[in-house]
Amino acid sequence: MPALVEMRGISKRFPGVQALSGVDFTLEAGEIHALLGENGAGKSTLMKVLGGIYSPDEGTIRINGEPVVIPTPARATELGIAFIHQELNLARHLTVAENICLGRPPRKRPLGLVDWKAMRETARRALDRLGAYVDPDAPVGSLSVGNQQLVEIARALSLDARVLIMDEPTAALTEAEAAKLAEVARNLAADGVGIIYITHRLEEIFRLCSRVTVLRDGTLVGSYPVSEVTPELLIARMVGRQLTERFPKQKVPIGEPILEVEGLTLPGKFTDVSFVLRRGEILGVAGLMGAGRSEVMRAVAGVERPASGRIRLGSREIPLGSVQAAVAHGIVMVPEDRRGQGLLTGRSVRENLSIAVLESLVHKGLIRGKAERALADRLIADLAIRTPGREQSVSYLSGGNQQKVVLGRWLATEPQVLILDEPTRGIDVGAKAEIYRLMGRLVQQGKGIILVSSDLPEVLGLADRVLVMHQGRVTAELSREQATQEQVMRAATGR
């Protein structure tokens, strides 16, 4: 029986970059097949070829044994291929039913009016197939991220998709939502749907997938039954080297308090939050989705204005609700949504790196180009940002290198306190290790770091102390020795 998808010898070039070189990939019906590799390895490019977004320079594609050409996403849809992107492609102001039937609403004859009852029934059938208890009349923007993802999958199924490409599907989900998605994926595979599962979370591969294909630098490293590999082997295949220590923790003397937060309150978001950060310390902040972690940190960084409370850096009190004041006093924040909040996506690496200190690069109303270029080159070298050059559009960098650009922008301001909100979300293990080593260098310089992360092993592996939040309040403060997964989860659930 022919494979559901067979890609042979796929190559793709971009200016200055060989993104794919002769890659083979096969997907069987009813299979959940993991696609693994560092950012920039070629995973997304290969899937965009399958999804009709890119045309390959070389290679062939067969669907159910038949050779096909996929010049557009519309053709991919006709062939039963659906791409569930990490950034969901939904119209938030429309209802669930309208999103599921977007572009092809059922109509009443002879006048051609939209048949709203039939639309709801179509949506309900697709949602029922997923076991999703979602109101077809609810605005998509009112749903949780997990339910929005189910709506996107339901839309694909309503188009009779037989191939689902899932790109980092659990990156923004709670544990309960991720468990629900895993159940949905297994049920779809049992119905004969082939699923290509792109993830950086190795534990998900071993729970969910039957086969894994590894890419590195645009080439195929190999395909393996999941039962025959280990996490260590996959990491070595991905990065071409052994990562002997997953969380390289630097031993740094903890100094005097650098940041003191007292009684921060913003009704509806967080209440009476107090903590201290010391020089040379990594302070982990843990909690479930909706606990208020990011909201508190946005207030510390001046993005949100709390109703009450005090923030002091050393002996100086920082005005509330002012990003400019926070940056001027040495407090910066790398936001969790790097594409939406952290990057100037249409701009070059140089412009992204210099924007936070642009005033210091201006002389008589003109940017000193030589100084700006020197700054960008220094940061590219210091942070090992992989880019063809400083003028490369930041949009074309891998996720890990984009994150380094955001970090570099704020490091240019010479901060004392760095707030890192989900700094390794959606980046590969090699890039994560580089971010961890950078954090170690920064605390060795006497800076303080606040690490907000949903990855509990990351928090436990890197933090000197852990604050745990639940429903907008700090429910525990644990030393490195006290902080275990059980203790953190007890506090995160309000127990």
Side-chain angles (χ1 to χ4, degrees), residues 203-215:
E203 65 275 11
E204 292 182 349
I205 292 173
F206 289 90
R207 285 200 304 261
L208 191 59
C209 303
S210 57
R211 205 154 44 116
V212 54
T213 289
V214 180
L215 301 182

Side-chain angles (χ1 to χ4, degrees), residues 408-482:
R409 170 194 302 166
W410 293 115
L411 289 177
T413 69
E414 300 183 358
Q416 296 302 304
V417 173
L418 291 96
I419 302 170
L420 308 181
D421 194 357
E422 302 288 0
T424 64
R425 173 178 286 171
I427 67 176
D428 60 77
V429 290
K432 284 181 181 181
E434 291 178 354
I435 298 290
Y436 298 152
R437 285 192 289 271
L438 174 61
M439 291 168 63
R441 293 206 309 270
L442 293 172
V443 291
Q444 282 181 325
Q445 296 167 12
K447 301 183 190 300
I449 293 177
I450 300 175
L451 170 65
V452 181
S453 177
S454 299
D455 186 340
L456 191 49
E458 180 175 83
V459 172
L460 299 180
L462 296 172
D464 298 290
R465 276 186 302 131
V466 179
L467 290 183
V468 189
M469 293 190 64
H470 172 70
Q471 293 185 351
R473 293 180 179 272
V474 174
T475 52
E477 180 180 331
L478 306 169
S479 68
R480 184 172 175 82
E481 293 70 32
Q482 294 171 323

Side-chain angles (χ1 to χ4, degrees), residues 9 36 43 91 145 154 158 187 201 204 247 287 360 387 412 422 431 468:
L36 197 60
K43 306 183 303 295
V145 175
S158 73
N187 291 339
R201 297 184 176 184
E204 292 182 349
F247 302 108
S360 68
T387 173
E422 302 288 0
V468 189

Side-chain angles (χ1 to χ4, degrees), residues 2 17 23 41 68 79 108 120 129 184 281 333 335 353 361 402:
V17 178
V23 174
V68 297
L79 292 167
K108 296 178 180 178
R120 292 186 190 95
R129 186 176 172 188
V184 166
E281 182 180 43
M333 180 175 182
L353 287 171
L361 300 172
Q402 288 179 348

Side-chain angles (χ1 to χ4, degrees), residues 65 134 222 290 430 487:
V134 178
Q487 290 279 46

Side-chain angles (χ1 to χ4, degrees), residues 212-243:
V212 54
T213 289
V214 180
L215 301 182
R216 184 171 70 236
D217 297 331
T219 62
L220 174 68
V221 176
S223 291
Y224 317 94
V226 169
S227 59
E228 297 179 7
V229 295
T230 63
E232 292 72 25
L233 177 65
L234 291 179
I235 290 171
R237 294 288 188 270
M238 272 194 293
V239 302
R241 60 192 185 280
Q242 294 288 341
L243 291 180

Side-chain angles (χ1 to χ4, degrees), residues 71-114:
T72 63
R75 178 57 178 152
T77 300
E78 291 173 3
L79 292 167
I81 300 166
F83 206 141
I84 311 299
H85 294 273
Q86 185 176 350
E87 289 87 15
L88 298 177
N89 188 23
L90 296 169
R92 294 172 57 83
H93 61 289
L94 299 182
T95 67
V96 169
E98 288 170 320
N99 269 275
I100 289 174
C101 297
L102 195 63
R104 47 184 183 83
R107 296 190 180 276
K108 296 178 180 178
R109 297 185 183 280
L111 299 179
L113 300 175
V114 173

Side-chain angles (χ1 to χ4, degrees), residues 243-260:
L243 291 180
T244 54
E245 192 176 357
R246 189 176 173 192
F247 302 108
K249 176 65 178 168
Q250 298 282 346
K251 291 184 179 180
V252 178
I254 305 301
E256 74 277 7
I258 185 174
L259 176 71
E260 297 179 69

